[in-house]
Amino acid sequence: MDKIDAPIVEKVTYDNEVADHLNDVIDGDVKRHQLLIDYPTVYLIYSSDKKDSYKVYVGETNDIERRTQQHLNDDSKIRQDWKDMSESENVQMLVIGHDHFNKSLTLDIENQMMLFMLGVPSVKKLNNRRENEQNDYYTSNEKDEIFSKIWRKLRQIDHRLFPIEREIRDSAIFKASPFHKLTPEQERAKEVIVDTVIDDLMKGKTGQLILVEGEAGSGKTVLLSTIFYLLSHLEKDTVRFNSDNLKNFLLVNHEEQFKVYQDIIHKLELDNSIKDTVSKPTHFINNHPKNGPKADIVLVDEAHLLWTQGKQAYQGKNQLNDILDRARITIAVFDKNQILKTEEYMAPDEIRKIEEKAREQDNLIMLTNQLRINAEPQTIHWIRSLTEKKIITNIPKDKKYDLKIFDDAQEMYRQIKKRAEDDQSGLSRILATFDWKYNSKRKPEEGGNWMVTAGNLSLPWNLQLDAPRSIKGSRKKLPWAEQEQTLGEVGSTYTIQGFDLNYCGVIIGPSVKYRNGHIVFDPEMSENTNAIRNRTLGNGKKVNVADQLLPNELNVLLTRGVNGLYIYAVDKQLREAFLKAQLGILQ
């Protein structure tokens, strides 16, 4: 029997008669009056100008009648968003009450509602303007259960505005949202970074570098997204910050992550005052002359993807240095084990120089917790040993994490499909090392698609199958893994880096072998020209760095699975070693 009662949710028209509308639906019920009028409540105000396109405001209050009048009569005079809302037709209000609501819990539910609404595809604009993350309090352990009960009730009112919870949780925009509750490690990093930024702005410093390092899954993207959201709401004080209007930018070289940030910035209306708030590094560098006005704050996600040599439209020598020359403060997140291309390659001494620059300014921050992989420490250690130490040990027992080795690639794909089609398992896809030919600009000469063939399995590489008509128009906005047709494709590091899957099936191709008790990488068997071609160093010397980049490729693939990792190896000796490790008999 449930210990926590169901919430009360009432839908009323949003206008100056909200109090009367509420009293009408309460209809003399003392309990409902208490929960909706007397107690703290959470509320949503929303309008829809066209089908599947909503503008939403999320709030909480101790006095719903007074707060509604404030929005209608005061806020609409000084804020354009409230003016637009008051003038829109058919604006609705949802008022949510619960007998366990106190101030802290309503603030947390409000924050959770912002987190979820940001991930709803039909929500085009979302407003709140507060960060309400709460520390522990009485009834804090009830938040998730109460929120799920609220969400199910809201779905009954409008399933387009309130989709299935699992669908939202699986979305990339949800996972990168600035409304997640931060871990203590992330919270400390956030406070240090924001305090440093404010101090540097007030002192008029330039060329400052804040470097955040952490492995895949350590929470770098959520931290960066949260910081960008907070900095976007800093007071535009010309005296305090030595700027007439803070100019903040978010840069990322990864196409799929770029789409996600664009969506977040647009929905939260953080792009009103500055053109190209989110952009690619080359675009930012080319549009900000070195000797021109400096940007105030530039945040760089996946800084390990920045180019360290000229390429295409970029004529410089190092994108990070060029960004530092054009910004007062640069905040960059970095993981040397996710450098994948020769044009991104940085020699160990170059990495040390960047770290030393940040350390000299007391701005080097390390994230050490593994937040993506929901596994015991020994399982995470097992995965790390593959790419860092290049050894295989017996697979540890882990009740939390589904780590499984397959002798049949077709069976692994069948299991991944089963997971993907199960609402409880959620987002699941097949990935592979880049060991099969692929060209995004043309089809194979013999026709058809570029294929990945492993054992008795043959599937097309990513970004080749046509999207269903239902999502074709929005395909460009959706990350690869969230498009339903991609369950029939194989993803690469270039489509999955920066994202996670609930269950991940990895085909380890012929470039990864097992010889004399160690994993070895064979560049001649790789089709990843970005990793295996020579790199020209600053002194003109050509070197091959595939022995560093190919392990990074494997590292990215093996760290995508939140709840499970399935592996099939093409190399027979590697596959046999994995199978023995699964049985616990590997010597």
Side-chain angles (χ1 to χ4, degrees):
M1 183 177 179
D2 273 349
K3 295 181 180 179
I4 298 177
D5 290 339
I8 293 175
V9 179
E10 290 294 351
K11 178 181 175 182
V12 296
T13 302
Y14 172 72
D15 58 25
N16 279 304
E17 279 74 48
V18 163
D20 292 335
H21 300 326
L22 275 174
N23 282 312
D24 287 343
V25 297
I26 289 169
D27 194 25
D29 186 318
V30 175
K31 179 70 171 177
R32 297 173 80 81
H33 186 281
Q34 188 179 46
L35 296 185
L36 295 178
I37 304 296
D38 300 332
Y39 281 15
T41 54
V42 175
Y43 63 95
L44 292 88
I45 301 171
Y46 65 97
S47 65
S48 180
D49 298 329
K50 54 185 177 180
K51 185 180 178 182
D52 296 331
S53 180
Y54 294 87
K55 294 180 180 178
V56 180
Y57 179 89
V58 179
E60 66 78 38
T61 182
N62 291 333
D63 187 336
I64 190 64
E65 295 178 351
R66 182 188 59 79
R67 179 59 62 85
T68 305
Q69 292 302 320
Q70 179 185 345
H71 290 326
L72 284 163
N73 301 319
D74 299 331
D75 294 342
S76 61
K77 295 176 182 176
I78 59 174
R79 276 175 44 180
Q80 186 63 42
D81 52 347
W82 280 114
K83 185 174 186 293
D84 293 343
M85 190 74 81
S86 66
E87 294 175 351
S88 296
E89 295 182 3
N90 194 31
V91 183
Q92 302 297 312
M93 184 174 189
L94 293 163
V95 184
I96 304 162
H98 195 279
D99 58 1
H100 287 199
F101 272 0
N102 53 47
K103 187 66 174 179
S104 291
L105 184 53
T106 55
L107 287 169
D108 251 359
I109 294 291
E110 177 190 25
N111 204 63
Q112 187 90 332
M113 192 65 70
M114 287 291 290
L115 172 64
F116 271 72
M117 295 310 291
L118 186 63
V120 175
S122 61
V123 173
K124 306 306 179 186
K125 298 291 182 183
L126 178 64
N127 211 332
N128 176 271
R129 301 197 179 188
R130 283 188 296 172
E131 183 202 19
N132 294 323
E133 182 183 300
Q134 301 295 297
N135 294 320
D136 284 341
Y137 53 88
Y138 178 66
T139 71
S140 64
N141 61 323
E142 298 177 354
K143 181 194 73 174
D144 290 339
E145 184 176 347
I146 290 175
F147 182 82
S148 289
K149 288 175 181 286
I150 291 170
W151 193 266
R152 287 195 291 271
K153 280 227 170 187
L154 294 171
R155 254 186 75 70
Q156 294 172 8
I157 295 172
D158 190 336
H159 67 275
R160 293 173 301 174
L161 182 54
F162 304 99
I164 297 170
E165 266 192 77
R166 167 60 72 182
E167 292 178 4
I168 297 174
R169 290 183 184 276
D170 282 346
S171 69
I173 190 171
F174 176 89
K175 293 167 182 175
S177 170
F179 301 110
H180 282 284
K181 186 176 179 63
L182 301 182
T183 65
E185 182 180 58
Q186 289 174 314
E187 186 67 34
R188 286 192 296 272
K190 181 196 77 175
E191 290 175 358
V192 168
I193 292 170
V194 172
D195 287 348
T196 299
V197 166
I198 292 174
D199 187 60
D200 288 350
L201 288 174
M202 291 176 67
K203 292 179 178 177
K205 292 183 179 180
T206 60
Q208 300 298 295
L209 172 64
I210 300 173
L211 190 66
V212 182
E213 289 196 44
E215 65 175 17
S218 59
K220 300 185 298 297
T221 292
V222 166
L223 175 63
L224 192 78
S225 177
T226 301
I227 290 169
F228 183 80
Y229 180 77
L230 291 175
L231 297 180
S232 296
H233 289 88
L234 278 181
E235 182 184 2
K236 307 297 188 290
D237 188 322
T238 56
V239 176
R240 190 178 178 209
F241 296 138
N242 298 293
S243 176
D244 56 352
N245 186 19
L246 285 183
K247 303 172 186 67
N248 303 338
F249 297 86
L250 201 161
L251 312 180
V252 61
N253 246 341
H254 192 286
E255 183 62 37
E256 300 294 307
Q257 195 69 43
F258 177 70
K259 296 177 190 175
V260 174
Y261 281 128
Q262 275 191 317
D263 208 8
I264 291 174
I265 300 304
H266 181 66
K267 283 189 176 188
L268 297 177
E269 297 186 286
L270 303 178
D271 54 356
N272 285 339
S273 59
I274 300 174
K275 184 181 178 182
D276 300 329
T277 302
V278 179
S279 69
K280 301 288 184 67
T282 296
H283 179 85
F284 172 81
I285 292 167
N286 291 343
N287 283 274
H288 290 79
K290 183 177 179 180
N291 297 322
K294 293 186 183 295
D296 290 299
I297 308 164
V298 176
L299 298 92
V300 186
D301 197 9
E302 312 264 14
H304 38 270
L305 304 184
L306 291 175
W307 298 339
T308 55
Q309 64 179 22
K311 181 191 175 190
Q312 298 171 353
Y314 176 62
Q315 301 300 314
K317 296 182 179 179
N318 185 296
Q319 287 187 324
L320 180 57
N321 289 339
D322 286 343
I323 292 167
L324 287 168
D325 287 339
R326 290 159 173 79
R328 297 172 67 185
I329 303 166
T330 301
I331 305 168
V333 298
F334 181 78
D335 178 9
K336 63 184 178 183
N337 293 323
Q338 290 195 67
I339 295 174
L340 300 177
K341 302 178 181 180
T342 55
E343 61 261 27
E344 301 161 1
Y345 174 74
M346 300 175 69
D349 63 320
E350 293 176 302
I351 295 173
R352 281 194 295 272
K353 286 179 182 177
I354 294 173
E355 291 174 334
E356 286 171 5
K357 178 179 177 63
R359 191 180 286 112
E360 286 171 2
Q361 299 170 349
D362 201 23
N363 287 340
L364 180 61
I365 295 171
M366 307 296 292
L367 298 179
T368 59
N369 294 335
Q370 174 53 248
L371 303 180
R372 174 182 293 138
I373 301 174
N374 184 26
E376 299 289 354
Q378 58 267 30
T379 300
I380 295 170
H381 177 75
W382 185 88
I383 295 171
R384 285 174 177 162
S385 294
L386 292 180
T387 54
E388 294 179 8
K389 298 180 180 178
K390 299 180 178 59
I391 60 172
I392 301 174
T393 57
N394 288 322
I395 296 175
K397 301 294 183 184
D398 192 334
K399 294 180 180 179
K400 294 169 59 179
Y401 195 75
D402 188 14
L403 175 53
K404 196 177 296 182
I405 308 298
F406 286 81
D407 194 26
D408 183 335
Q410 184 70 46
E411 175 60 19
M412 182 175 79
Y413 178 50
R414 191 183 74 80
Q415 292 287 336
I416 286 294
K417 283 185 69 177
K418 184 178 178 182
R419 290 290 189 184
E421 292 162 357
D422 182 350
D423 287 341
Q424 297 302 311
S425 302
L427 195 65
S428 305
R429 291 294 185 269
I430 290 283
L431 311 174
T433 53
F434 208 137
D435 292 348
W436 292 266
K437 290 183 182 297
Y438 175 73
N439 190 316
S440 62
K441 297 179 180 178
R442 62 177 175 84
K443 291 283 189 179
E445 291 181 5
E446 62 274 17
N449 292 314
W450 300 103
M451 304 296 287
V452 173
T453 303
N456 56 358
L457 177 68
S458 185
L459 292 173
W461 266 125
N462 43 211
L463 305 175
Q464 295 187 93
L465 297 182
D466 288 334
R469 185 174 297 176
S470 60
I471 69 163
K472 218 160 193 176
S474 60
R475 176 172 180 168
K476 291 182 179 180
K477 294 183 179 180
L478 285 174
W480 172 79
E482 289 181 44
Q483 301 176 38
E484 61 182 89
Q485 82 280 1
T486 63
L487 185 54
E489 295 182 330
V490 179
S492 69
T493 49
Y494 302 118
T495 47
I496 204 64
Q497 187 176 29
F499 299 95
D500 58 49
L501 300 163
N502 290 329
Y503 289 83
C504 172
V506 178
I507 300 170
I508 301 179
S511 69
V512 188
K513 306 178 187 298
Y514 190 70
R515 300 291 185 268
N516 301 317
H518 285 81
I519 291 175
V520 295
F521 293 85
D522 183 356
E524 292 187 4
M525 298 301 294
S526 173
E527 294 292 339
N528 190 356
T529 54
N530 288 320
I532 61 177
R533 63 191 173 201
N534 287 337
R535 164 67 191 259
T536 303
L537 300 181
N539 59 10
K541 182 181 178 182
K542 293 183 181 296
V543 297
N544 189 282
V545 292
D547 62 334
Q548 298 174 56
L549 301 184
L550 292 181
N552 287 355
E553 178 187 19
L554 184 60
N555 170 59
V556 168
L557 297 176
L558 296 181
T559 53
R560 297 305 103 187
V562 174
N563 297 317
L565 170 64
Y566 298 165
I567 297 174
Y568 173 83
V570 170
D571 180 71
K572 184 179 179 182
Q573 291 186 47
L574 179 58
R575 187 165 67 252
E576 289 175 348
F578 277 138
L579 290 167
K580 287 180 180 179
Q582 182 166 249
L583 295 171
I585 59 174
L586 185 67
Q587 300 296 319

